[in-house]
Amino acid sequence: DMRPYIAARMAERAAGPTLTSREIQVMGLLSQGLRNKEIATSLGISTETVQVHVKSILAKLNVNDRSAAIAVALRRGSIHLS
């Protein structure tokens, strides 16, 4: 029975602050191993703006680095590996 697992995942997803659609885009590119400059080029924004998004993501997910942010975002279902 998957219901307890699904309930736990839903509770975890609802628990923290939600990422904006742009932050989810940035997370997706981070999970592909792109650097800030590459993310900026891909999204047509400045590297400074990417840094602001990354800082916001780390704060919202309550983590200290990109790897931990990717792990949390995957667990929450915010991003998916393709």
Side-chain angles (χ1 to χ4, degrees), residues 15-30:
T18 56
L19 299 178
T20 66
S21 58
R22 179 61 95 184
E23 289 167 345
I24 291 170
Q25 288 177 316
V26 170
M27 278 300 311
L29 295 171
L30 282 176

Side-chain angles (χ1 to χ4, degrees), residues 26 29-30 33-54 66:
V26 170
L29 295 171
L30 282 176
L34 272 64
R35 299 173 192 267
N36 286 1
K37 187 174 182 178
E38 297 165 320
I39 293 169
T41 300
S42 176
L43 297 178
I45 58 178
S46 71
T47 54
E48 292 81 8
T49 301
V50 174
Q51 289 171 339
V52 168
H53 288 309
V54 171
R66 295 165 181 248

